[in-house]
Amino acid sequence: MVGTVLSLLYDEMVRIWCYRWTAIITAIVLFVAGAAYIVRMPDSYDAWAQIYVPRQTSLSAAAANVSLGAEYGSTYVVQKTLLNDQNLGKVAEQLNPALSRLTPADRQAAILGLRNKITIRPDDGDGFTEFHYTASNPAKAYNVVRLLLAQFVSGTQDRAERDFSQADVFLDSQIAIYQRKLNESQQKLIAFHQRYGDTTAVTTDTAEEADAASEVENARAAYTAALARDGVGTPAQAQIAALEDRIAALRLQYTDQYPDVIAARQQLAQLQQRSAQGSKGGDSSAVAVARGQLAAAQARLRRARFRPTLPPQIAAQEADLRRTDDMLRNAYQELLARREAAKMSLAVYGANNSSKFQVTNQPTIPAAPSGPNRLLLLGLAVLVAIAGGIGAAYLRGAITGVFVAPRELEEAFQLPVIGTISWEQTWHTGEVVQGSRHVAVFVTFGVILLVATVLVSVSTSPWLQAIFHQYSTTLFQGFVK
Amino acid sequence: MGQMSKVPFTGKVFPADISVDDDTVLVPANTVSNLEKVEERGGVVKRVGSVVTPHFDESRTREDFRVVKRHILSRIDNAPADKSKDPRTILITSASPREGKTTVTLGLAMSFIFERDYSVILIDADMRSPELSRRMGLSGELGLLDFLENEEIGIEDIVYPTSVKGVYAVPAGLPRITAPELITSERMTQLLKTFHDGSQKRIVIIDSGSVLACSETISLAGYAGQIMFVAAKGQTRRKDIDEGLGILHRQAGPIDESRVAMVFNKTDHSRSPVRYSRNS
């Protein structure tokens, strides 16, 4: 497969070789034409200006963490703000006052032509930007760049001032808004507390509760001890005490209507009745004191265990109010800090923005041409000429239809090719002379054409004339010495 | 016929020539003689044609011609007996001039040097530019056209020995405006028949003009049992070959594989593998 492809490729090369004269003549003609064109091309002059725009500005500092689109000093922004129709229209009119009298279509064409020839070169590292304009007239190139730079300077100043005032206004208005919102939130919170009580004051203190519980225990122990000392520590008295404890415990969980509580109370009433009948003498004063203390301790425990519960909707409302209040307070404080930062950067950059950007290269009238690169173009012309010559030879071979391989012959006529005869130049006595004569003719022809090209070039191009003049002067001086 | 029989042949043209049938051959049997006689005419020694092909010693070129020769011989051997056209008559032609017909003719002749069984007669029938005669140094000598026009001239008068043994030459002769008509005359048929008569194997190679330039070539193709169509590499145009083959096909019998073969000439070297008798 590869062999077949290579063989076909070889055949095509041989076919081109058959028309090498066509190739050579075409190449020479193409090169001479190209060289004449290149040499006669007018010189071009490149005028340029460079500006430095710092990327950090007061607005971008003020709006830190807030996206404002492309960076202020980026080439993209410069390109978009500078190369708009209004700016270019102004430049075009300044260059050619007659432009305003032209039709809108012509005006548009002039602006488009200007835009296509202006190049803005970015500098990735820092805020440097270059404008270039290339023209055959150095004064025109200089004027375009000068006017563009003036447009940029005035436009950027306007914009910067606007930006500064905008930053101030923006921050002030935001701060005012947040202040009002914060006040409203505070009012709401106060109203809520007035309505539902200061729930913040009610606390459930577990320490106090434990304290009260231990006090109850102590009081009960003291009461039991007093009963024992009094000698009337009857089972009935102990039962009464136990029942009272139970009722107290039940009452913590249930209402008075709960069956267990009712049953316990009835049992207690019976026991007390029986006890009263059994000991008419009554309690001693110590026991009475102990019982009073126990009752007081129990009351305290009950109070400690009390939890005031608000309905859930109201609780949620309160949490919401508190959250809003916190958020507004934070935002407000941040805005205040930003305003401070903006004020500081204003102080740094100065009120009149004098250090906002710098023109690092003022345009000048270019003294030496920047192009075209004729040597490179001539090199390209050589390549194009060779390619054109080969193409012409190939085309001619394809159109004429010569045979370069016996296989082609066989396929074309369906007749056997019974042999291929190698062709030696010496087979014909005249051929050798003829062959070398061909080479001689070709060489002479080529040399004549090249000399002609050089002569035509020198006579028509001031660029080459200058070079030749320089060399001849140097040579002449050498001779004089 | 009778007129033909009056042709005064002074002796045997070829040596070891044998029975010639009077009914089929117009030349009297006793006049076709040996090849020694062709060396002189009327007591004067004739010029000797030089068969020189420069660099024929190059084994590659010699091999190239051997391949062609082998094809030609195998076609002769395998030709059907009832063939109307003798395969031993070989026409070398091309579509356009300067494609190497004469070179191929000479090279082919040289390749027969070592063929002991065959002798070769080269006929220069390119009336416009008798290149073969010129190259062999036989320009201006009595030749084919003289023989065809003048009945006084015998076959042995126009056959010349060459520097190579077994190779004989017939130059074109003085150019005549009547050449196309002379080529189609009976005397031409008779000449070719005489050459092929006898026990000795002879091959007649006719170097003709290009098909598109010379009308004689078409008439000559009518005699040939084999036609070698020379095409030069990177030179011959497809449409010229098409046209040439078309003319031959219409006017000189069918062009088919058994009769017409192509020779690819002027290659830098033989790229195609050697092929032996694909057909015939």
Side-chain angles (χ1 to χ4, degrees):
Chain A
M1 183 62 200
V2 175
T4 317
V5 170
L6 282 180
S7 161
L8 286 175
L9 211 62
Y10 178 84
D11 287 351
E12 291 311 317
M13 280 164 60
V14 170
R15 206 188 306 282
I16 288 167
W17 181 246
C18 292
Y19 291 103
R20 54 195 176 279
W21 293 106
T22 309
I24 287 165
I25 290 167
T26 311
I28 288 174
V29 167
L30 279 179
F31 177 73
V32 168
Y37 178 79
I38 289 163
V39 163
R40 293 177 76 108
M41 275 167 83
D43 284 337
S44 62
Y45 294 87
D46 179 46
W48 65 287
Q50 191 186 51
I51 51 164
Y52 172 69
V53 186
R55 301 234 164 146
Q56 188 74 2
T57 65
S58 55
L59 181 63
S60 64
N65 304 323
V66 179
S67 173
L68 283 180
E71 275 184 83
Y72 190 63
S74 77
T75 304
Y76 179 75
V77 172
V78 170
Q79 190 159 11
K80 287 293 164 192
T81 52
L82 188 60
L83 297 186
N84 55 36
D85 279 4
Q86 284 73 34
N87 281 350
L88 289 176
K90 277 183 209 160
V91 171
E93 265 171 30
Q94 280 166 309
L95 285 171
N96 178 13
L99 195 71
S100 54
R101 291 195 295 277
L102 293 176
T103 62
D106 288 344
R107 195 183 143 85
Q108 193 63 40
I111 288 171
L112 194 68
L114 204 56
R115 177 179 292 143
N116 287 342
K117 283 168 83 176
I118 294 169
T119 48
I120 293 188
R121 279 185 211 158
D123 187 312
D124 289 335
D126 246 312
F128 287 100
T129 303
E130 286 177 12
F131 317 148
H132 285 260
Y133 186 84
T134 305
S136 53
N137 180 357
K140 193 196 173 190
Y142 161 72
N143 272 333
V144 170
V145 174
R146 184 175 56 81
L147 291 170
L148 264 179
L149 190 66
Q151 282 289 333
F152 178 78
V153 169
S154 66
T156 310
Q157 261 168 1
D158 290 351
R159 197 181 121 117
E161 275 161 22
R162 209 169 50 242
D163 283 350
F164 271 103
S165 54
Q166 269 180 0
D168 252 2
V169 170
F170 169 74
L171 285 172
D172 283 348
S173 68
Q174 288 297 305
I175 285 168
I177 289 168
Y178 273 83
Q179 200 163 23
R180 205 181 62 238
K181 280 185 181 171
L182 195 59
N183 283 341
E184 282 171 9
S185 161
Q186 288 287 327
Q187 292 299 326
K188 275 186 197 165
L189 211 55
I190 288 164
F192 181 85
H193 285 155
Q194 279 171 352
R195 186 172 168 191
Y196 295 105
D198 191 2
T199 52
T200 51
V202 182
T203 53
T204 52
D205 196 343
T206 48
E208 195 186 339
E209 189 184 330
D211 194 36
S214 67
E215 199 180 326
V216 168
E217 290 300 311
N218 290 341
R220 180 167 297 138
Y223 177 57
T224 320
L227 281 179
R229 257 198 323 275
D230 210 29
V232 291
T234 58
Q237 288 294 345
Q239 276 178 337
I240 287 167
L243 266 175
E244 279 176 344
D245 278 356
R246 180 148 189 255
I247 289 165
L250 283 169
R251 276 291 286 116
L252 286 175
Q253 292 174 10
Y254 307 108
T255 59
D256 286 342
Q257 280 75 40
Y258 193 71
D260 283 3
V261 177
I262 294 168
R265 279 190 196 284
Q266 283 171 354
Q267 207 178 344
L268 181 66
Q270 285 169 5
L271 276 172
Q272 279 173 338
Q273 212 173 1
R274 244 183 286 158
S275 159
Q277 285 165 0
S279 61
K280 284 285 176 201
D283 298 335
S284 66
S285 62
V287 172
V289 167
R291 183 186 288 165
Q293 279 174 347
L294 179 60
Q298 278 172 341
R300 194 182 158 209
L301 179 64
R302 223 173 282 129
R303 251 200 329 276
R305 281 181 175 166
F306 172 74
R307 284 186 183 83
T309 49
L310 290 171
Q313 302 97 317
I314 294 168
Q317 205 180 338
E318 195 213 358
D320 204 28
L321 281 173
R322 281 182 190 283
R323 221 173 13 251
T324 313
D325 189 60
D326 285 349
M327 192 195 75
L328 287 172
R329 196 183 300 277
N330 286 342
Y332 179 68
Q333 277 164 357
E334 200 178 321
L335 280 171
L336 284 179
R338 288 249 185 108
R339 186 163 63 179
E340 284 312 303
K343 276 180 184 161
M344 282 175 77
S345 68
L346 255 179
V348 170
Y349 286 108
N352 61 353
N353 311 308
S354 57
S355 60
K356 187 93 193 62
F357 64 85
Q358 264 176 288
V359 177
T360 46
N361 183 74
Q362 287 285 357
T364 53
I365 298 176
S370 63
N373 189 345
R374 290 190 176 83
L375 281 179
L376 178 72
L377 290 175
L378 282 173
L380 284 177
V382 168
L383 290 182
V384 168
I386 290 171
I390 290 173
Y394 176 81
L395 261 181
R396 210 183 142 194
I399 290 167
T400 330
V402 295
F403 297 94
V404 295
R407 174 183 47 76
E408 292 180 351
L409 205 59
E410 224 161 47
E411 282 168 5
F413 303 107
Q414 301 299 314
L415 287 171
V417 176
I418 59 168
T420 58
I421 311 291
S422 322
W423 187 257
E424 306 295 331
Q425 285 274 308
T426 46
W427 269 67
H428 290 282
T429 43
E431 287 287 310
V432 183
V433 180
Q434 210 176 11
S436 61
R437 199 170 61 225
H438 278 175
V439 173
V441 165
F442 158 62
V443 169
T444 317
F445 183 60
V447 166
I448 287 170
L449 278 177
L450 280 176
V451 168
T453 313
V454 169
L455 286 178
V456 167
S457 312
V458 172
S459 61
T460 53
S461 159
W463 173 70
L464 276 174
Q465 271 174 351
I467 289 177
F468 269 76
H469 180 70
Q470 193 184 345
Y471 273 102
S472 58
T473 313
T474 319
L475 271 176
F476 183 68
Q477 281 168 349
F479 279 124
V480 167
K481 278 174 186 171
Chain B
M1 282 282 207
Q3 190 186 15
M4 282 292 163
S5 61
K6 284 179 208 161
V7 174
F9 278 103
T10 52
K12 285 182 178 285
V13 177
F14 302 107
D17 243 310
I18 326 95
S19 65
V20 175
D21 189 352
D22 252 350
D23 297 335
T24 52
V25 181
L26 299 165
V27 182
N30 61 346
T31 61
V32 181
S33 54
N34 56 42
L35 270 174
E36 280 83 51
K37 282 291 178 76
V38 302
E39 314 237 321
E40 54 181 55
R41 188 195 298 127
V44 182
V45 176
K46 283 199 278 190
R47 292 187 70 162
V48 176
S50 66
V51 180
V52 179
T53 53
H55 284 244
F56 188 72
D57 289 342
E58 284 229 357
S59 63
R60 195 175 60 209
T61 312
R62 201 164 55 213
E63 242 0 86
D64 290 342
F65 279 111
R66 274 200 173 133
V67 171
V68 176
K69 179 188 75 177
R70 198 51 54 199
H71 267 278
I72 288 169
L73 291 179
S74 82
R75 279 168 182 244
I76 291 168
D77 293 342
N78 299 325
D82 60 337
K83 192 105 175 154
S84 58
K85 296 176 173 72
D86 198 319
R88 290 173 296 177
T89 305
I90 298 153
L91 180 77
I92 307 233
T93 189
S94 66
S96 321
R98 299 199 59 78
E99 293 191 37
K101 295 180 294 290
T102 305
T103 306
V104 170
T105 306
L106 283 173
L108 210 50
M110 286 292 282
S111 72
F112 276 94
I113 291 175
F114 307 109
E115 290 286 340
R116 293 164 181 274
D117 298 340
Y118 289 93
S119 57
V120 178
I121 299 164
L122 304 176
I123 299 178
D124 188 0
D126 188 351
M127 305 311 175
R128 303 282 165 92
S129 60
E131 174 73 14
L132 184 67
S133 311
R134 192 183 65 75
R135 256 199 259 177
M136 295 181 84
L138 295 173
S139 298
E141 297 291 321
L142 277 183
L144 180 66
L145 288 181
D146 304 309
F147 169 79
L148 292 178
E149 186 169 273
N150 191 347
E151 297 187 359
E152 299 296 316
I153 296 170
I155 292 179
E156 73 280 4
D157 292 330
I158 59 162
V159 175
Y160 291 75
T162 65
S163 53
V164 176
K165 190 170 174 290
V167 177
Y168 301 91
V170 177
L174 277 177
R176 285 168 171 80
I177 200 163
T178 53
E181 289 73 30
L182 289 173
I183 291 291
T184 53
S185 68
E186 267 307 306
R187 221 166 137 77
M188 183 72 199
T189 318
Q190 178 200 7
L191 178 71
L192 291 172
K193 204 143 201 175
T194 310
F195 283 154
H196 288 308
D197 273 332
S199 62
Q200 200 179 358
K201 291 178 178 175
R202 295 197 190 99
I203 288 171
V204 177
I205 300 175
I206 306 172
D207 178 19
S208 71
S210 53
V211 177
L212 298 179
C214 306
S215 58
E216 305 94 81
T217 306
I218 298 149
S219 315
L220 285 167
Y223 300 112
Q226 291 192 58
I227 298 173
M228 299 287 116
F229 207 93
V230 179
K233 173 190 176 184
Q235 179 184 340
T236 315
R237 299 172 178 209
R238 175 187 290 253
K239 71 172 176 56
D240 290 347
I241 300 182
D242 260 334
E243 204 176 329
L245 287 175
I247 290 170
L248 285 180
H249 188 72
R250 284 191 298 275
Q251 304 189 16
I255 298 297
D256 54 28
E257 288 196 353
S258 66
R259 188 157 165 247
V260 179
M262 306 196 88
V263 174
F264 197 51
N265 195 21
K266 298 195 189 184
T267 62
D268 304 330
H269 55 87
S270 309
R271 281 178 64 229
S272 60
V274 172
R275 281 174 296 197
Y276 288 99
S277 16
R278 201 184 71 168
N279 53 304
S280 78

